[in-house]
Structure formats: C-alpha cells, structure tokens
Amino acid sequence: MELSLQGIANKKEWQDKGFALPSYDIKAVAERTRKNPVWVHFGVGNIFRIFIGGLADTLLNTGAADKGITCVESFDFDIVDKIYDAYDNLVLGVTLKADGSTEKRIIGSLTEAVKARSSVAEDWNRLKAIFADPGLQMVSFTITEKGYALKGADGTYFPFIAADIEKGPEAPVSAMAVVCALLFHRYKSGKMPIAVVSMDNCSHNGEKLKAAVTAMAAEWEAKGFVDSGFTAYLNDESVVSFPWSMIDKITPRPADSVCAELKKLGVEHIEPVITSKKTYIAPFVNAEGPQYLVVEDRFPNGRPALEKAGVYFTDRDTVNKVERMKVTTCLNPLHTALAVYGCVLGYTLIADEMRDPELNKLVHQIGPVEGMPVVTDPGILSPQKFVDEVINVRIPNPFMPDTPQRIATDTSQKVGIRYGETIKSYVEKYGDAKKLKAIPLAIAGWCRYLLGVDDSGNPFELSPDPMLQTLRPVLEGVTVGKPESYTGQLASILSNANIFGIDLYKAGIGEEIEGMFRELIAGKGAVRAVLKKYMA
C-alpha cells in the first residue's frame, strides 16, 4: 500500500484497513484548480495539510466545491520535493482520540505545490500566473508568527528583509516580500480584488500581515520600484482585504507510534524525514480531533463555502474576541508555561505534565483564574467551556505525542502575545498587573529555561528561537546554584516592549519576576521548590 494516486487506486484494500478515501476525482480537481486557481496557501506544513487541507477535502467530498488549494512553500523547499511531489500531493491524516483509537483519512485537496523562488523562472512565472488569474479569491498563510516579522528587537530591519527592500519586487526572497511582489503583479494585471488571510496562531494576525505587506510596499515605493497606486490598492480593503482569523488545532510532530501503526497496516514508505532546514515531517500528519477556525467574513472576490466544513464566519470584533480568548487566555499561555517548565523539569510529553500537581495548578491559575477576568465572551464560543476542554480533554490526551520541546520553539516571538496582552489588560483595568502571580511565574520560568540547564543541573538543548543569540549573552554569568550571580541581567529583557508588548517594570511586575528568577536559580531542585511555593 503506497501513498500515491496509483497506490490508492485499489480503494477496497485501503477501505478494508479503515482508511477513508476521497470520493472525488483527484486528477480532475487538480486540473481544474491549475487552470483556474481560487485559493493559494503559503506555509505547507502539518497544520495546513490536515486542517486547512482537510476543510477543502470535506467541501470536495460533499460537492460544495470543485477545486482544491494551490500550495506554496517560501521557507523549506525540501518539503515540496520530499513530502508533496514524492506522494502525488496526497496527505494521510490521522486523528488521535483520547480513548486510543484513530481515524485515518487520505486527503486529496492539495492540488499543486510550488516553491516560492523568484530566482527560478519556472517557479516564479507559475506564481505570477496564479496571482494574475481574475478568479483567485484568497491567499492564506500558516507561516508561524515569525514569518510576518520584518524587524528585530532593536527596531531595525532584519538583514534579509533589508536585502529584499534593496532588490525590489523582481527578486524577493522572504515570504512577505514574495507576497508583496505577487500582489504587485496582480495589481499590474488589472487591480483585481483578493482576500489576504492569515490563519496563523497570533493576535490580530490580519493586522500583522497587512502591516508587513504594506511596509514592504512603502519601502519599495520610496525607492521607485512601485507606484503610489499600488500602495493605495493594498490599503483599500474593498479591493484587497486582510481578514482576521483564529485557528486552533494541536498538531504535533509525526509520532513514531503512529508511523508504526500505519506500517503494520501495510502502508509503505511512510517514515518521517528531516529536511535541510531541520523540519521533521512525514507523509502522514497526526493531530487531535478538536479544531476551530473563525474568520472575518471580508472577501472582495468571493470565497469557498468553508462554513459548510465547520468554519465560523463573523465580524472582526468577534474574531478578535475569540482569538484573544484562545491565544491570550485559554490555550496558548498554558502551552507556553508547560513548554518551558517541562523542558527544565525533564518532561518529554505535554500530557504527562498535566499529571504533575504543580504544573496542573499553574495552568489552572494562568487560564481560569488570572485570564478570565479580562476575557470578553465572544458569543459564538464559551470561554469557560473552551478552557475546560483544553485543560480536561485536549492537553491531557495521552495519545497526543506533543512535546514541551516543540512548543518551546520561538517562545521569544510568543510571550508578548500569550502573556503581554493579559498584562496590558490588567494595567488598563487595575492600574498595574500586581494581582498576577502565575503569569509572572511563567515568564520567570522562560527566563530560567534560557539558561539551558535543567532542575538537576544538567545542560539541555534549547529549542530553536530567532532571539537566542540576543538573549543568551544577556544571561552570561548567571549560574544555577549561585543566586548571587544574578545582578539584574534580566532588566533589558523584561523592559523590552518589543518582546512583551509592554515594559514589565512599568506594569508593576518586573521586580517580582526578577525575585522569582533568583529563587529558580538557587540550586538543584529549586525549580520544583519554587513551583510548590507559589502553587501551594
């Protein structure tokens, strides 16, 4: 049994083994989509393949759509070669249930995979042709929060962004420059409408995406690469919209247990690969069952009928409330706290952390206790029910192979959203954030994590983060077991509004975090002792 168009032609063999197969003609859908694309997506990793691709697959299976998604990768081109082309763009989706059972599904809605390489004429001309098509309705993104960042913590453009600004729209490299250049091509092709939709897990994602694209356009205009009409085009939301959205589905890296189950059933060549960019990815995707996508219904050129696949369409204010509920209160802050403390305490599975009394208490304090006072009920989803599902069903699922090491990736890019927003809300509501205890403890835990030494005094490898080279030197000289080695080194981090969205000293909690950090570095076992002290 091979995951390929030829391999799944023997439908009965797959179905007898419990795999659901597309009911539509995959080749015909791909051909229609190639000729007249309606939806292009940047960032073709796991959550896209099983969630977004699964939505399109559902529409195709039910006859609510007749075209799939054009997939574009702007960062790790090996994914196109090793995961898309090698398997005829098919995805094997595996849903992991809390009772240990699985649902297995072949997804055929990802009709084409293109590398966003302006240096390769074939790739670049294909993308330009896609963006020049009048029928293109939307371009969406799951490129992670850092994909929208143009500047570092010091407020200056990253070198690769500065290079894209200098080169102009003919030779872009970064994702935002590529998208801006392709929108410029659409503008030149007839100023046609389109929706540009971030589906990434970050606050005000549509606003961040628009800010990045329009900033690039403004720099190009200043250098004479584009005209003022293009920047006006991007800023006219009746023509080019940037809808906000909230996405939620836990999608961990491919699990060995899932791979073994699939091989036992007879699926061949299904093993994960590690790309040259260190992406760990497989032909299959394993994920939890619960999933949420809430999107602002602003599509100037029409859109697929995604509400028929369970997507919530609403107004921007409601999206913002749902997103704030999830990203700043009910899920992501809990995950980040479990990630950093899990790494320091030697955990390798998030679900196991929920059986740790102190860590369980920590997430209960961060979400239901400290977060709820500043959450506005969005109406379409209940914050209390949502956080209850997260804490009691989703995170504790023992069959979800999610690790604190994965979640700890890029934490510097997340803490401002996951904690900074609640801190700012407390300052606005109470004058300062001194009522908070668990959130400062989570931030202190992140700072302790940055030392790369566990609670037993052993070194561990930090997860990838674009600011490690900036943050680690700040803490040089701070030594676990020597609390006197801490002499205020955190001040430049905790006061950095580019990291937290607010100066934590002005919020009234900077000194408290420093005190907690000093306790956390007291010696072996200090992390556990501090958790017991504050989570008593």
Side-chain angles (χ1 to χ4, degrees):
M1 295 169 65
E2 290 194 351
L3 184 63
S4 65
L5 290 175
Q6 182 177 349
I8 66 169
N10 186 351
K11 292 186 176 183
K12 187 175 187 304
E13 182 179 19
W14 287 84
Q15 290 169 340
D16 286 349
K17 299 271 181 83
F19 294 87
L21 296 174
S23 61
Y24 51 89
D25 186 328
I26 298 173
K27 288 184 179 179
V29 167
E31 184 62 26
R32 280 195 298 270
T33 307
R34 186 174 181 87
K35 287 181 179 178
N36 301 110
V38 293
W39 181 0
V40 61
H41 185 94
F42 281 75
V44 297
N46 288 335
I47 193 168
F48 163 68
R49 291 194 292 153
I50 196 168
F51 189 180
I52 311 305
L55 295 174
D57 185 69
T58 296
L59 295 184
L60 288 165
N61 275 320
T62 58
D66 64 355
K67 295 172 186 172
I69 307 175
T70 303
C71 312
V72 181
E73 179 55 36
S74 61
F75 174 68
D76 193 339
F77 300 137
D78 281 355
I79 294 175
V80 174
D81 296 327
K82 296 181 178 181
I83 297 298
Y84 280 76
D85 292 350
Y87 296 90
D88 293 338
N89 299 332
L90 297 176
V91 181
L92 203 170
V94 181
T95 299
L96 307 173
K97 297 187 174 183
D99 63 2
S101 65
T102 61
E103 287 184 0
K104 296 171 287 292
R105 167 188 186 186
I106 306 297
I107 296 169
S109 59
L110 310 183
T111 58
E112 179 182 8
V114 186
K115 300 173 183 177
R117 299 184 296 185
S118 60
S119 59
V120 178
E122 181 181 2
D123 294 338
W124 194 234
N125 289 336
R126 176 59 188 147
L127 287 173
K128 288 167 75 173
I130 291 167
F131 272 75
D133 193 302
L136 184 65
Q137 296 178 328
M138 64 185 289
V139 50
S140 55
F141 300 82
T142 48
I143 58 174
T144 74
E145 295 169 55
K146 64 182 177 182
Y148 306 105
L150 304 184
K151 298 178 179 180
D154 61 359
T156 62
Y157 285 117
F158 292 121
F160 65 92
I161 296 295
D164 276 336
I165 290 171
E166 292 298 323
K167 287 182 294 188
E170 292 306 312
V173 175
S174 67
M176 292 298 95
V178 164
V179 172
C180 190
L182 291 171
L183 289 172
F184 182 51
H185 183 69
R186 187 169 181 82
Y187 163 77
K188 291 190 295 181
S189 301
K191 304 179 182 178
M192 295 168 288
I194 192 169
V196 187
V197 191
S198 171
M199 294 180 178
D200 269 301
N201 176 24
C202 55
S203 294
H204 299 186
N205 50 16
E207 183 177 77
K208 286 179 170 58
L209 175 55
K210 181 176 182 177
V213 171
T214 55
M216 184 65 65
E219 293 287 359
W220 283 347
E221 183 186 350
K223 291 183 176 296
F225 290 122
V226 304
D227 57 58
S228 60
F230 175 56
T231 52
Y233 167 77
L234 292 179
N235 282 290
D236 184 353
E237 287 234 343
S238 68
V239 182
V240 180
S241 66
F242 292 83
W244 295 15
S245 72
M246 188 286 290
I247 190 168
D248 182 27
K249 186 178 182 72
I250 300 173
T251 311
R253 63 185 281 171
D256 292 341
S257 58
V258 174
C259 184
E261 179 190 351
L262 294 174
K263 291 171 73 173
K264 186 176 180 181
L265 289 170
V267 185
E268 301 174 79
H269 311 302
I270 204 72
E271 296 82 4
V273 300
I274 301 175
T275 69
S276 59
K277 293 287 183 72
K278 306 301 181 185
T279 303
Y280 189 87
I281 194 166
F284 67 90
V285 182
N286 42 237
E288 66 173 344
Q291 60 184 35
Y292 301 89
L293 180 58
V294 183
V295 185
E296 178 187 1
D297 200 359
R298 189 188 293 262
F299 291 78
N301 203 31
R303 60 168 175 79
L306 288 164
E307 69 278 5
K308 295 182 179 179
V311 176
Y312 296 85
F313 284 98
T314 184
D315 56 73
R316 178 172 294 186
D317 183 56
T318 302
V319 172
N320 189 40
K321 289 175 181 176
V322 174
E323 181 273 329
R324 284 182 65 87
M325 175 197 75
K326 180 250 181 177
V327 175
T328 72
T329 305
C330 293
L331 174 59
N332 299 89
L334 319 187
H335 253 164
T336 292
L338 291 173
V340 296
Y341 276 108
C343 290
V344 175
L345 293 173
Y347 282 102
T348 57
L349 194 66
I350 285 288
D352 288 343
E353 293 188 65
M354 292 302 288
R355 292 194 289 272
D356 183 306
E358 286 77 46
L359 294 179
N360 190 296
K361 180 74 175 294
L362 179 63
V363 298
H364 274 88
Q365 289 291 116
I366 291 173
V369 176
E370 295 187 349
M372 284 299 157
V374 292
V375 167
T376 303
D377 190 336
I380 61 173
L381 293 171
S382 161
Q384 192 62 56
K385 289 182 179 178
F386 191 93
V387 77
D388 285 347
E389 181 185 52
V390 166
I391 291 176
N392 298 310
V393 178
R394 298 174 63 184
I395 298 179
N397 182 346
F399 300 98
M400 278 291 292
D402 211 358
T403 69
Q405 291 74 23
R406 180 191 78 86
I407 296 171
T409 300
D410 301 332
T411 300
S412 69
Q413 310 299 294
K414 301 170 180 175
V415 288
I417 304 300
R418 299 183 177 187
Y419 301 123
E421 292 300 310
T422 293
I423 292 167
K424 286 189 284 187
S425 295
Y426 266 73
V427 171
E428 183 177 346
K429 186 171 184 177
Y430 302 111
D432 58 46
K434 292 181 179 179
K435 290 178 179 287
L436 298 173
K437 295 299 176 188
I439 287 176
L441 185 59
I443 294 171
W446 174 54
C447 297
R448 170 66 178 79
Y449 159 89
L450 289 172
L451 297 177
V453 178
D454 67 21
D455 202 26
S456 298
N458 301 312
F460 66 87
E461 183 179 354
L462 296 178
S463 300
D465 189 308
M467 285 193 70
L468 286 183
Q469 292 182 337
T470 301
L471 297 170
R472 292 296 298 282
V474 172
L475 295 171
E476 191 172 347
V478 177
T479 305
V480 174
K482 295 182 179 180
E484 68 275 9
S485 65
Y486 180 73
T487 56
Q489 291 92 329
L490 287 180
S492 64
I493 297 175
L494 302 181
S495 63
N496 192 336
N498 286 320
I499 296 176
F500 293 101
I502 188 172
D503 180 334
L504 298 184
Y505 294 95
K506 292 181 179 178
I509 57 174
E511 292 84 356
E512 180 180 23
I513 293 169
E514 285 190 273
M516 290 173 167
F517 176 78
R518 191 178 287 107
E519 292 180 70
L520 289 166
I521 64 169
K524 294 180 182 179
V527 174
R528 174 61 66 187
V530 170
L531 284 169
K532 286 184 176 180
K533 171 185 173 181
Y534 288 97
M535 294 294 109

